[in-house]
Amino acid sequence: MRLPLKLVMAASNELPAQGENLDALWDRFLVRCLVGGIEDKHQFNLMISGSSRTETVVPAELQLSEKELSVWSGGIDAVSVSDAVFAFVHVFRSKMAVANAAIVENGDKPFYVSDRRWKKLMHLWRTAAFLNGFSELHLADTLLLQDCVWDEPSQMETLEKLQIEALVETFEEQAGMPLLRERLAALREEQAAAFPVQVAFKVVRAFFYQVQSVVAGRMVLI
């Protein structure tokens, strides 16, 4: 059956359980978000006091025409993919395979990202780049990966760690930079020789150095 489908959104009180034969269906839902209760008091008050018969109205300026969607589709497909993005994908897949070997030994469910989901991921990244005004896909766009590769909430933390490690490794390789720990050690030596004050180093989410020291009464952050 030919169906001009543009988007499917679904909600459920539970994730597909093993043995329900819903793996293929679950695999087709690319972006996955866990939604909890409303925490903001004002929004909560609006929710419980609002009419249950209220229909969502999309403002005219936010509505998309068929022509606009067609133009977007062509622009998204035209976004090129940098070598760094391909390198990141292979590094991440390699790290996931290593992690799976240990997981299987413990008798737990391994991570799985189908070829179909990788293709959809690439399209999602291209869409992000296009909507941000770029004609080429960059590593920053791949940050959306963490919302697309988990099957169970318990996997999210480990997969995010693998993603960060893969991004750092890819960036260092593409930029020809030394390992973070080597740079950190070199910075410690340089700062120790240049300043008599104690300098504290901190790696923030494996991406940035936050160097704190007091020089002439001023706080220095690098």
Side-chain angles (χ1 to χ4, degrees):
M1 179 183 296
R2 182 174 177 80
L3 182 66
L5 185 66
K6 300 297 188 295
L7 175 69
V8 171
M9 297 181 66
S12 174
N13 291 329
E14 59 184 13
L15 298 178
Q18 294 187 20
E20 294 184 345
N21 297 321
L22 294 175
D23 292 346
L25 177 65
W26 176 230
D27 188 59
R28 284 168 167 79
F29 284 90
L30 180 61
V31 181
R32 302 165 175 182
C33 300
L34 291 178
V35 181
I38 300 175
E39 297 182 359
D40 182 83
K41 292 183 179 179
H42 177 66
Q43 295 298 329
F44 181 81
N45 292 342
L46 290 177
M47 185 273 294
I48 62 175
S49 63
S51 172
S52 59
R53 296 184 297 274
T54 301
E55 294 186 6
T56 301
V57 178
V58 179
E61 63 271 16
L62 295 180
Q63 297 180 20
L64 295 175
S65 65
E66 288 287 339
K67 182 178 180 180
E68 286 176 312
L69 284 174
S70 177
V71 171
W72 282 20
S73 180
I76 291 168
D77 290 340
V79 173
S80 61
V81 183
S82 65
D83 291 338
V85 172
F86 284 124
F88 163 76
V89 170
H90 291 292
V91 171
F92 180 84
R93 293 180 69 193
S94 177
K95 288 184 175 296
M96 189 168 58
V98 173
N100 276 340
I103 291 173
V104 171
E105 286 185 2
N106 294 330
D108 297 325
K109 181 180 179 180
F111 305 126
Y112 175 68
V113 182
S114 66
D115 293 348
R116 171 175 53 216
R117 214 183 321 172
W118 277 115
K119 186 171 182 63
K120 289 180 178 293
L121 259 171
M122 186 64 71
H123 186 265
L124 177 66
W125 294 341
R126 277 176 157 161
T127 302
F130 172 78
L131 294 178
N132 281 304
F134 295 104
S135 59
E136 184 180 29
L137 192 59
H138 299 285
L139 282 177
D141 299 303
T142 65
L143 291 172
L144 296 170
L145 174 78
Q146 63 190 34
D147 294 319
C148 304
V149 294
W150 61 271
D151 289 316
E152 299 177 1
S154 59
Q155 299 175 332
M156 296 174 68
E157 184 176 351
T158 300
L159 286 169
E160 183 180 3
K161 179 181 178 183
L162 294 178
Q163 176 187 359
I164 291 174
E165 292 176 352
L167 279 170
V168 172
E169 185 174 322
T170 303
F171 180 78
E172 290 176 341
E173 180 180 345
Q174 295 294 316
M177 300 170 62
L179 295 176
L180 287 176
R181 57 177 175 269
E182 295 177 359
R183 295 181 61 203
L184 190 58
L187 279 172
R188 281 199 180 98
E189 294 178 0
E190 293 176 8
Q191 292 294 326
F195 304 101
V197 297
Q198 183 68 29
V199 180
F201 292 82
K202 182 179 182 182
V203 179
V204 181
R205 292 181 63 83
F207 282 110
F208 306 100
Y209 299 124
Q210 185 178 25
V211 183
Q212 300 180 2
S213 64
V214 179
V215 180
R218 299 174 61 187
M219 180 66 72
V220 178
L221 298 178
I222 300 178

